[in-house]
Amino acid sequence: MDGQATSPIEVTGLCNRFGKLKVHEDLDLSLREKEILGVVGGSGSGKSVLLRSIVGLIRPSAGEVRIFGQNLPELAERERTKLMQRLGVLFQGGALFSSLKVRENVALPLIEHAGLGRADAEALADLKLALVGLRPEAGELYPAALSGGMVKRAALARALALDPAILFLDEPTAGLDPISADGFDRLLLTLRDALGLTVLLVTHDLDTLWSTCDRVAVLANRKVLTTGPPERVAAFDDDWIQAYFNGPRGRAARHLGGMEDEKPGAD
């Protein structure tokens, strides 16, 4: 594990096996309080599987995932549900319910888990939509009527509905045009600073890595190969890392992200 800072999430000796396929083997990773940690790796390296293991959607074959010091599988259902409400997840593609309007999508967790009535839940949903930069009229639309950027923001509003302490984002800028992706990155930084969020971000987007992440963890050979500030990781002696971070697209993203100097406090 790296660093002495508070770790709201500790992954130790994680193993994920599906039949004969080994996705993770003795994987260790820690997430520090109020940081944005980017998880990257080649196709098939298990980035999304790692995220789903942490949030309890996949039960690991072995190892331990502790969230705020608690191991999810060991908890009784009531305590597990309470802990899960401190986590917000934005899945790939947004995963909004197509049969519900945007406002109803955001209100649903408030009704199901916070016990709010429909009117109060939808009023609070409007505040969450405003928080992510969507106008009130967007709440009346169905997901099919939204642009890609609006889908991501609506899904983010739903992830923030229960005021989570930790936010998980799975490829949040995938499929967005550069302007929408940049807007999402800036929104993420604003929300992290304003709400004190801790963020785990799975992404292929080099611009997002350079512009938002305090640290980056690289998955390879079923483990975390290296973890650190983007600048340090980009200098790591590994062929895949060098091709990814220091190829033409990587150099351009680093320059545009203004990340030539290490972020204050990152170590």
Side-chain angles (χ1 to χ4, degrees):
M1 300 295 177
D2 35 20
Q4 303 296 319
T6 302
S7 297
I9 291 179
E10 292 278 1
V11 179
T12 309
L14 181 73
C15 299
N16 276 306
R17 306 184 188 98
F18 303 95
K20 296 182 179 181
L21 176 64
K22 295 181 179 180
V23 179
H24 302 131
E25 196 74 21
D26 294 324
L27 183 151
D28 297 333
L29 182 68
S30 64
L31 184 63
R32 300 173 183 170
E33 188 175 10
K34 298 181 182 179
E35 78 166 341
I36 299 177
L37 173 67
V39 177
V40 302
S43 297
S45 60
K47 301 180 293 297
S48 293
V49 172
L50 173 61
L51 185 153
R52 290 173 178 267
S53 298
I54 295 174
V55 302
L57 295 177
I58 295 175
R59 188 180 182 94
S61 304
E64 192 172 77
V65 176
R66 290 195 171 270
I67 303 175
F68 300 115
Q70 300 183 81
N71 190 4
L72 276 177
E74 296 177 353
L75 298 178
E77 186 64 28
R78 183 174 180 179
E79 286 73 25
R80 177 186 173 91
T81 299
K82 186 176 180 180
L83 180 60
M84 292 297 292
Q85 289 175 12
R86 301 182 68 186
L87 313 179
V89 185
L90 190 161
F91 295 102
Q92 276 193 58
L96 297 173
F97 294 106
S98 60
S99 61
L100 298 179
K101 294 179 180 179
V102 168
R103 179 180 295 108
E104 294 170 331
N105 266 280
V106 179
L108 189 60
L110 296 163
I111 295 171
E112 291 190 343
H113 300 296
L116 296 185
R118 183 185 180 94
D120 289 338
E122 292 193 355
L124 189 52
D126 283 339
L127 293 178
K128 299 298 181 179
L129 291 170
L131 185 65
V132 300
L134 290 177
R135 296 179 179 275
E137 52 266 29
E140 283 297 307
L141 300 175
Y142 286 95
L146 302 180
S147 67
M150 292 175 70
V151 167
K152 300 288 188 178
R153 288 176 183 254
L156 179 58
R158 187 178 63 182
L160 294 172
L162 296 173
D163 297 324
I166 307 176
L167 185 63
F168 297 87
L169 308 176
D170 194 357
E171 300 286 0
T173 57
L176 298 185
D177 64 83
I179 294 175
S180 296
D182 180 66
F184 190 95
D185 292 344
R186 293 176 185 274
L187 173 63
L188 177 58
L189 288 171
T190 298
L191 291 174
R192 188 276 300 271
D193 294 341
L195 303 179
L197 293 169
T198 300
V199 181
L200 188 148
L201 167 70
V202 172
T203 187
H204 284 99
D205 192 328
L206 284 157
D207 292 325
T208 295
L209 287 175
W210 284 114
S211 62
T212 68
C213 293
D214 301 295
R215 291 191 301 143
V216 175
V218 180
L219 300 189
N221 300 321
R222 299 185 291 277
K223 298 181 180 181
V224 174
L225 179 62
T226 185
T227 309
E231 299 80 6
R232 187 184 303 169
V233 170
F236 191 83
D237 186 13
D238 174 81
D239 289 344
W240 186 88
I241 288 178
Q242 290 304 307
Y244 182 75
F245 281 94
N246 296 312
R249 295 182 67 183
R251 291 195 302 270
R254 181 172 184 170
H255 175 72
L256 291 174
M259 297 299 299
E260 293 298 332
D261 298 319
E262 187 169 315
K263 291 186 178 182
D267 57 18

